[in-house]
Amino acid sequence: FSKEFPPEDEVDLTHTYADGKLTWTEHAEFVDGQIHSLPGENGATYLYRAIVSEEAAALVVSLGSRDGIQVWLNGESVLARNVARGVAPNQEHVRLDLIAGGNALLLKINHGAGGGGFYFAVSQDQGDLEEVPFNKAYADVSAEGFEVAAAIDGNPRTGWASGSLDA
């Protein structure tokens, strides 16, 4: 998961690796909204996609992976989950802050024994997620009479959500 390979530094779709044995290959059969299997065991598979936007915009995508997943948008990390799991839709939701013009989306799927898999779709719920600056959230928590139980309802649209991540 943590081992870096050349695509993480620069995506060059004409470049080959491992003395020409590894190349970027277009996969027209990778249709959005479907689970796709990836060959190989105990390795990493990189997936690249160009997203063109007429203007700067936010786009929420739904992802799934077997096993770990890392995502970069325009060279910036937007997701890293080191997990062992079977691939399924909607395991992760990521907000992509697209710039006007071309955007480079890179996924790294780490997989153990039994091969890997991934899922990608534009989320059906682009939602009106309201972002709350941390200092405002902190002020709310520290306010007199603030009831934590009322805020932690598991719904990120109406209050705080609670959860845990494997370290």
Side-chain angles (χ1 to χ4, degrees), residues 9 51 66-67 88 94 106 126 130 151 159 162 164:
D9 295 324
I51 300 174
R66 170 161 189 218
D67 293 301
V94 177
L106 180 68
Q126 289 299 305
E130 184 176 333
S162 61
S164 61

Side-chain angles (χ1 to χ4, degrees), residues 131-153:
E131 293 184 21
V132 178
F134 179 76
N135 60 351
K136 170 83 168 84
Y138 180 77
D140 287 347
V141 171
S142 63
E144 188 174 323
F146 180 81
E147 294 184 29
V148 174
I152 302 178
D153 65 359

